[in-house]
Amino acid sequence: QVQLVESGGGLVQPGGSLRLSCAASGSISSIYAMGWYRQAPGKQGELVAIIFSSGNTTYGDSVKGRFTISRDNAKNTVYLQMNNLKPEDTAIYACNAQPFASIPAEFGSWGQGTQVTVSS
């Protein structure tokens, strides 16, 4: 399994932007799906965005139109561009690698997470 390291979190004002990065220890080109998930205090974890090896993407309803996921296979890195951030986006964001479609994402590789705080 690849090891994942997130970066780019921090404190931002409402309406601001952040870009998260997820660097993998190995090649991601053949990984079925790379995703971002988040968990806020007292809430269940939720899907933020997924990008498949095909290039197709899926977004959680709460971030559609504001967040964009992308992958750079040459750099073994996945990005999450977050625009028009809202206080409710405050959470720990974690990167996930789902190696095969037959293996649920939760059983794939996880990064340690990065804190995003949206506050004035």
Side-chain angles (χ1 to χ4, degrees):
Q1 289 189 339
V2 294
Q3 295 186 9
L4 306 173
V5 179
E6 302 97 334
S7 61
L11 173 64
V12 63
Q13 292 186 341
S17 298
L18 281 175
R19 188 177 81 155
L20 304 182
S21 298
C22 171
S25 60
S27 175
I28 65 170
S29 60
S30 61
I31 292 177
Y32 170 69
M34 297 290 298
W36 288 95
Y37 296 78
R38 69 185 183 186
Q39 185 163 20
K43 295 186 177 181
Q44 285 191 333
E46 65 173 335
L47 167 69
V48 177
I50 297 175
I51 185 164
F52 298 93
S53 55
S54 63
N56 291 337
T57 57
T58 296
Y59 293 92
D61 288 341
S62 62
V63 306
K64 284 180 181 176
R66 300 188 296 123
F67 291 11
T68 303
I69 189 170
S70 61
R71 61 195 289 169
D72 186 335
N73 289 340
K75 295 183 178 180
N76 297 324
T77 301
V78 176
Y79 303 98
L80 184 68
Q81 178 66 43
M82 306 185 294
N83 297 329
N84 190 22
L85 283 159
K86 304 176 180 180
E88 51 265 41
D89 294 318
T90 295
I92 295 174
Y93 286 69
C95 181
N96 171 267
Q98 181 183 357
F100 307 106
S102 59
I103 298 176
E106 61 185 323
F107 297 124
S109 300
W110 291 91
Q112 82 287 353
T114 186
Q115 177 71 47
V116 171
T117 302
V118 185
S119 175
S120 55

